[in-house]
Amino acid sequence: MVKVNRLFLQIIFCFALVFFSGKAKADEIQSMALIQGLEAYRNGDWESASLFLRKAVADSENSTAECWYILVLSQMYSENYAQAVNDANTFIRDFSDSELLPYVEYQKGRALHYLGQNDSAALILSDFCHQNPEDAMYPSGLYWLAECFYDDYNFETARSLYEKITADFPGSVKAQDAQFKLDLIAQREREQKLLYLLKMTGEEYLNSREHYEKQLREYQAGDLVSLRKQLNAANARIAELEKENEGNIAELNSIIKEQQAQLMEQKSINQAYESARSEVPQNVQVEVHKKNSSIDEELATLKTKAAQIQNLLDEKNNGK
C-alpha cells in the first residue's frame, strides 16, 4: 500500500499526540480512546487504531480534521476500504477547507480502486494530480491512476502514465513498481502477438485440412461412381454370357440325349446279336464278329465325344 510522505505524517502525528495528550491531562478519561488510538497507529496496529479512533471522533471535542485523517489512514492500512471511503466522505463534508483535504481525496481514490470502482477512482485521482502537480504525492497519484486504467485493460493509457513516472520521477517510491508494470505490458503484447500468430496458423491449418478432406470426399465419390459403372457393366456382361450359354447348354444337352439314345439302341442291338449268335453257324459268326468290331469302334468314338461334351458342360457350369 502507498504511504503518505513520512515527514508529513510525523509532523501530523507529533502535533496530534502533543495536542491531544495535553487535552487528555485536562479532560482525563474523555481523551483516553484518542491516546490509545494514536499509540496503536504509531505501533502499526491498524485495526486497534481504527477501533479507538472511531470511539475518539464520536466525541465532538476530538472530532478534528487531523483525527479523521489518521482514522482514514488506519482504515486504508487495515484494508477496510469500504469504511475508508465512508470516513473520507465524512471528512470531505465536514472539513472541506482543511489542508489535508487533497490527501484524504487521494486515499479515497485508492480505496475506490481497491473496491473495483475504477471509473470513480480515476476521476478522483486525476483531479488530485491536476491540482497538486508539485506535491510529493504526485508520482504516487499518477501510479494509482495508471493502475485504474491497467485493471480496466486500457493498457495504452496506463503505459503512458507508467512511462511518465519512470522518466520524470525516477527517484520516487513508485518508479520501480511502474517499471515492473511496463514490463508486464510489454510481455502481454508479446503474448498477444504470439497468440495472434498461433490463431492465424491454426486457421490456415484448418482451412487446408478442410480443403484436403473436401477433395478426398470428391475423389472417393468419383471412385465410387466409377466402380459402380464398372460393376454395372460387369453384371450386364455376365447376364449376356448367361443368356448365350443357355442356348449352348440346351444344344449340348440335346446332343447328349441323342447320343445316349443311340447308345441304348446299340445296346439293345448287341443284346439281340449275342442272343442270335449262338444260333448262327461258325462261319457266319466270324463275319458278324468283324461287323461287330467295326460297330464297337464306332461306339468307342461316340463315347469319347460324349465325354468331351460332358467336360465342356462341366467347365461351363463351373464358370457360371
Side-chain angles (χ1 to χ4, degrees), residues 10-122:
Q10 289 174 357
I11 294 173
I12 293 298
F13 180 80
C14 292
F15 165 76
L17 186 59
V18 172
F19 176 79
F20 288 110
S21 293
K23 186 175 179 61
K25 291 177 182 178
D27 298 336
E28 296 178 353
I29 299 175
Q30 270 187 338
S31 298
M32 185 60 64
L34 178 60
I35 295 174
Q36 291 175 323
L38 293 174
E39 286 289 344
Y41 182 90
R42 183 174 62 179
N43 294 329
D45 186 358
W46 313 121
E47 292 184 359
S48 297
S50 299
L51 178 64
F52 289 124
L53 291 172
R54 176 75 57 198
K55 292 180 179 179
V57 296
D59 184 354
S60 60
E61 295 295 329
N62 298 327
S63 182
T64 64
E66 291 79 7
C67 192
W68 275 97
Y69 178 62
I70 296 174
L71 176 59
V72 171
L73 291 179
S74 299
Q75 301 287 5
M76 290 297 297
Y77 293 148
S78 62
E79 300 182 4
N80 190 354
Y81 301 120
Q83 189 59 53
V85 171
N86 291 335
D87 292 339
N89 288 334
T90 300
F91 184 101
I92 295 169
R93 182 194 66 202
D94 296 341
F95 307 101
S96 59
D97 57 347
S98 172
E99 293 181 355
L100 296 174
L101 180 62
Y103 305 106
V104 172
E105 291 177 337
Y106 165 83
Q107 296 298 339
K108 179 182 177 181
R110 289 182 57 235
L112 289 171
H113 164 67
Y114 280 116
L115 292 172
Q117 301 177 32
N118 288 311
D119 291 340
S120 298

Side-chain angles (χ1 to χ4, degrees), residues 246-274:
E246 286 178 359
N248 294 333
I249 292 171
E251 183 178 355
L252 290 173
N253 288 333
S254 177
I255 294 172
I256 290 171
K257 289 180 180 179
E258 183 180 351
Q259 294 295 328
Q260 287 177 345
Q262 290 179 359
L263 289 174
M264 292 297 295
E265 182 180 356
Q266 188 63 46
K267 184 176 181 181
S268 298
I269 293 172
N270 287 343
Q271 289 177 352
Y273 165 75
E274 291 294 336

Side-chain angles (χ1 to χ4, degrees), residues 75-264:
Q75 301 287 5
M76 290 297 297
Y77 293 148
S78 62
E79 300 182 4
N80 190 354
Y81 301 120
Q83 189 59 53
V85 171
N86 291 335
D87 292 339
N89 288 334
T90 300
F91 184 101
I92 295 169
R93 182 194 66 202
D94 296 341
F95 307 101
S96 59
D97 57 347
S98 172
E99 293 181 355
L100 296 174
L101 180 62
Y103 305 106
V104 172
E105 291 177 337
Y106 165 83
Q107 296 298 339
K108 179 182 177 181
R110 289 182 57 235
L112 289 171
H113 164 67
Y114 280 116
L115 292 172
Q117 301 177 32
N118 288 311
D119 291 340
S120 298
L123 290 174
I124 294 174
L125 291 168
S126 178
D127 288 341
F128 171 81
C129 294
H130 180 71
Q131 295 171 9
N132 303 278
E134 303 299 329
D135 194 276
M137 296 295 293
Y138 178 74
S140 296
L142 287 178
Y143 176 82
W144 290 108
L145 178 59
E147 288 288 276
C148 294
F149 291 111
Y150 183 90
D151 282 1
D152 284 346
Y153 302 98
N154 188 347
F155 298 113
E156 289 300 321
T157 302
R159 176 165 54 188
S160 64
L161 293 171
Y162 291 134
E163 289 175 345
K164 182 175 179 60
I165 296 170
T166 56
D168 297 346
F169 306 97
S172 69
V173 294
K174 286 301 177 183
Q176 186 175 358
D177 292 339
Q179 184 58 54
F180 176 72
K181 284 302 180 69
L182 287 173
D183 294 338
L184 287 182
I185 292 174
Q187 180 181 352
R188 185 182 183 279
E189 289 178 346
R190 290 192 295 269
E191 291 174 352
Q192 290 295 322
K193 289 180 180 179
L194 178 59
L195 289 174
Y196 175 76
L197 292 175
L198 290 175
K199 179 182 178 181
M200 295 301 296
T201 303
E203 290 178 353
E204 290 178 359
Y205 165 75
L206 290 176
N207 290 335
S208 299
R209 180 176 178 180
E210 291 176 356
H211 179 67
Y212 167 76
E213 291 178 348
K214 181 180 179 181
Q215 286 186 330
L216 181 60
R217 288 193 298 268
E218 291 176 353
Y219 292 151
Q220 290 175 341
D223 290 342
L224 183 60
V225 171
S226 177
L227 288 174
R228 285 178 178 173
K229 289 181 179 179
Q230 295 179 12
L231 180 60
N232 292 334
N235 288 334
R237 179 57 179 165
I238 290 171
E240 183 181 348
L241 292 174
E242 287 178 347
K243 187 175 181 181
E244 292 178 358
N245 288 335
E246 286 178 359
N248 294 333
I249 292 171
E251 183 178 355
L252 290 173
N253 288 333
S254 177
I255 294 172
I256 290 171
K257 289 180 180 179
E258 183 180 351
Q259 294 295 328
Q260 287 177 345
Q262 290 179 359
L263 289 174
M264 292 297 295

